[in-house]
Amino acid sequence: MFYEGKIYRPPSEAKSIILQITVGCQHNACTFCTMYKDKSFRIKSRAEINDIINTAHAQDSDAERIFLADGDAIAVDSVLLIEILDQLYEKFPQLKRVGIYGGPKDILAKSPKELAELKAHGLTMVYLGVESGNEEILTSVCKGVSPEQMIAAGQKLKESGLALSCTVILGLGGNILSQEHALDTARVISAIDPHYLGALTLMVEQSTPLAKAIKRGSFQLLTPLESLTELRTLIQHLNVTHCVFRSNHASNYLPLRATLPDEQADLLVTLDNVIGSQSLERLRPEYWRGL
Ligand code: SF4
């Protein structure tokens, strides 16, 4: 399969065929993100998309999972997206799910009816990067929306019946805003009440504005134990109905997985044990040894 530039997908789409129907990210402004900085956003032409689908079909006509890339493919006009979904389900008879990244502004630009139609035509999962629920942090990282807009985007997706997976980034407020980040993020995620929640840990790429802020001394990264304390506060204040929580990305110091709220208390005990020990022994060494 031919791809323009580097391709990113959520960890849970590892078994999916990736179809790059758009290039880059329409927003492309977040200060911590380098994923699409070398790409100008564009929606591929109908002819290009047909070629991509035909190539994928030639490679694996029994595919059960497809992920539509790049970083904000939900920006594609709903009429075209529905055409693509119909084409995919016709071409791939075993197809069971189609996932997509959705930026909050592009989700808000779609009507509830459009989102419900996308669901009816086989879009199954939307991945939304919430990052933080704190207004100051969202502004400082140029996320482009307020916490209330993020809640509105997430709730709109859920109300349409689509499965929703949110991610947040531990440490995004540095050590100064750690407590506010945890509490406000818990509030926003609770209001959205997603089906899945992933907590990543901030990893700073050298070319980002955030890296420059660290060099200037205006932003301090959390230590591993501070990061786990922030996560503990977040988990403690989450109020969700049924959410599969994961913090097992390569960036995380302590791999965790739990179904909330059923395993919320157990998760807090695990975090308390690690934090209380004040030891880095149980944490992934490849990260903390370099600090
Ligand atoms: S919206 Fe997502 S993909 Fe786009 S710049 Fe921000 S973090 Fe990166």
Side-chain angles (χ1 to χ4, degrees):
M1 183 83 68
F2 171 76
Y3 294 123
E4 286 183 40
K6 200 167 171 188
I7 292 291
Y8 297 90
R9 50 128 185 100
S12 54
E13 298 287 346
K15 292 184 180 156
S16 303
I17 294 188
I18 313 292
L19 301 186
Q20 191 186 30
I21 63 166
T22 64
V23 178
C25 162
Q26 183 148 248
H27 178 59
N28 214 12
C30 301
T31 61
F32 56 86
C33 174
T34 55
M35 294 195 293
Y36 305 107
K37 291 290 185 275
D38 58 341
K39 297 180 181 180
S40 298
F41 180 77
R42 77 179 179 94
I43 296 167
K44 289 193 175 174
S45 69
R46 198 65 184 88
E48 285 177 291
I49 293 170
N50 280 343
D51 279 351
I52 291 166
I53 293 173
N54 288 335
T55 306
H57 184 260
Q59 287 177 1
D60 183 4
S61 59
D62 291 330
E64 294 185 0
R65 295 170 165 214
I66 286 178
F67 180 73
L68 301 175
D70 274 343
D72 186 23
I74 210 164
V76 172
D77 178 79
S78 298
V79 173
L80 175 56
L81 213 37
I82 286 169
E83 264 181 50
I84 294 168
L85 288 165
D86 288 348
Q87 197 178 349
L88 292 177
Y89 279 94
E90 197 184 313
K91 277 249 177 205
F92 298 89
Q94 308 299 325
L95 188 58
K96 293 191 172 59
R97 54 180 263 186
V98 179
I100 198 166
Y101 278 132
K105 283 189 286 190
D106 293 297
I107 293 163
L108 289 172
K110 293 202 187 292
S111 69
K113 185 166 171 273
E114 282 175 277
L115 292 171
E117 280 177 7
L118 290 171
K119 153 86 179 155
H121 286 260
L123 185 66
T124 39
M125 172 81 89
V126 179
Y127 297 87
L128 171 65
V130 170
E131 331 301 9
S132 175
N134 179 267
E135 178 118 45
E136 188 178 340
I137 296 172
L138 287 179
T139 303
S140 74
V141 301
C142 302
K143 189 67 194 174
V145 290
S146 67
E148 299 319 310
Q149 287 172 307
M150 191 67 85
I151 291 172
Q155 288 182 341
K156 206 170 179 184
L157 285 172
K158 267 209 79 183
E159 281 159 16
S160 70
L162 287 158
L164 173 59
S165 178
C166 292
T167 50
V168 299
I169 304 178
L170 300 171
L172 196 59
N175 61 358
I176 293 173
L177 289 176
S178 180
Q179 180 78 354
E180 289 85 347
H181 177 44
L183 293 174
D184 292 341
T185 303
R187 180 185 80 83
V188 166
I189 294 296
S190 301
I192 295 174
D193 197 14
H195 305 94
Y196 301 90
L197 173 65
L200 312 177
T201 301
L202 179 66
M203 295 178 81
V204 182
E205 305 257 0
Q206 285 315 310
S207 58
T208 56
L210 202 51
K212 291 185 188 117
I214 292 169
K215 271 197 190 125
R216 282 197 308 273
S218 56
F219 186 95
Q220 269 99 38
L221 290 170
L222 298 186
T223 66
L225 290 175
E226 284 171 345
S227 175
L228 293 181
T229 303
E230 182 177 286
L231 176 60
R232 194 213 181 278
T233 306
L234 167 63
I235 298 291
Q236 182 191 356
H237 290 88
L238 275 180
N239 183 8
V240 287
T241 52
H242 183 83
C243 178
V244 175
F245 169 78
R246 289 192 194 92
S247 183
N248 55 4
H249 182 257
S251 65
N252 296 120
Y253 296 114
L254 184 67
L256 296 167
R257 190 185 191 286
T259 301
L260 307 178
D262 296 0
E263 296 170 319
Q264 203 155 350
D266 296 341
L267 197 52
L268 290 174
V269 169
T270 300
L271 283 162
D272 282 341
N273 286 339
V274 176
I275 295 164
S277 74
Q278 289 292 303
S279 161
L280 302 181
E281 284 309 308
R282 285 178 62 186
L283 308 188
R284 286 174 168 166
E286 58 266 43
Y287 301 109
W288 60 261
R289 275 193 187 130
L291 293 171

